Amino acid sequence: ATFGSILAFAQPNVLPALLSQLSRKRALVAMAIAAIITYLAGAAAAGWNWMGAYAALLVAHGAAERFSAIQITPAAIAYGFGAPPAIAITIAILCASVAIVFAIAIARRTRDAFARFAGFAALTPFVSSFWHEHDLVMAFPAVMWCAVRVTPRMRAPALIGTSFVAVDWLGLAQRPGGIVQSGLLAVTAWCAFLALRPGAITPAIGAASGAIAAIFAGSVVLAVAHPAPVWPAAMH
């Protein structure tokens, strides 16, 4: 679980997950110190107004990529399935609202600090308006927690969720030559998930594994038949 957290901390999308720690005084002080250091370092490199300039750049960047194929956000996914921009944005707002409700429930009911962090981290993609495939590393604290702590009844659903975030699905169509590599990495993630808490492979685990294998095989067929361009060419 610690390793999964380290991976998540390596990028700025960790901020929403860190909100789960605001009730801990030590964590709050640490985040305040980190924010001050970050601001001063940015000021030294780009001037005192670097945050304003960076925010403006983020807004422009987000607008340019809002509905592109490489975005894994509720809005981009809805748009990809044919929803008009206004409907896609409405769907994104609804998803974010539901995610916030779940986050509040986690904050109120979960005492364990790491479990709260993992829960918030897993919900982050649903509230973000800018999310690429590699940003799914934010889901891995939850993956690690589920692999070790989830109840036997929920182990199969947790394995399915792990598989969904362990495969670069768009990459299958962008890099057909790497399909075998993606398949091997998916098998590795499957093995790692089960190895973190050894036990018998139950019928539910077998069924979940078969379902993921079928989805992967179907995705490969679609990927080969409908290749996708690599950024930044024709990403819409």
Side-chain angles (χ1 to χ4, degrees):
T2 302
F3 181 67
S5 301
I6 292 172
L7 289 177
F9 274 120
Q11 48 126 22
N13 281 326
V14 74
L15 180 59
L18 288 177
L19 295 178
S20 67
Q21 307 299 307
L22 290 180
S23 60
R24 302 172 63 204
K25 292 182 180 179
R26 252 196 266 182
L28 185 59
V29 171
M31 283 186 274
I33 293 173
I36 292 171
I37 293 174
T38 300
Y39 177 74
L40 292 177
W48 295 105
N49 190 39
W50 72 269
M51 290 186 69
Y54 183 58
L57 182 63
L58 286 181
V59 171
H61 195 175
E65 287 194 19
R66 180 171 294 125
F67 299 121
S68 67
I70 57 175
Q71 287 292 340
I72 310 177
T73 64
I77 293 171
Y79 182 82
F81 275 100
I87 299 298
I89 291 175
T90 300
I91 291 173
I93 293 172
L94 291 174
C95 286
S97 300
V98 173
I100 290 171
V101 170
F102 274 106
I104 293 173
I106 290 172
R108 294 181 61 182
R109 300 181 183 182
T110 307
R111 294 185 178 181
D112 182 78
F114 181 79
R116 288 201 309 272
F117 173 78
F120 273 54
L123 289 170
T124 301
F126 298 98
V127 298
S128 177
S129 60
F130 195 90
W131 201 265
H132 292 164
E133 177 272 334
H134 53 265
D135 293 319
L136 286 174
V137 70
M138 278 304 306
F140 278 84
V143 165
M144 306 292 280
W145 187 90
C146 284
V148 176
R149 298 284 300 276
V150 77
T151 62
R153 186 172 62 88
M154 292 302 296
R155 195 155 172 76
L159 178 60
I160 292 175
T162 296
S163 301
F164 280 157
V165 298
V167 176
D168 178 9
W169 300 98
L170 180 63
L172 299 178
Q174 288 184 310
R175 297 174 293 277
I179 286 176
V180 173
Q181 181 189 35
S182 292
L184 292 174
L185 288 172
V187 172
T188 301
W190 182 89
C191 292
F193 182 92
L194 295 180
L196 282 171
R197 196 174 71 184
I201 297 179
T202 63
I205 292 291
S209 303
I212 291 298
I215 292 172
F216 186 88
S219 299
V220 167
V221 172
L222 289 172
V224 172
H226 305 282
V230 177
W231 185 92
M235 291 312 302
H236 289 277

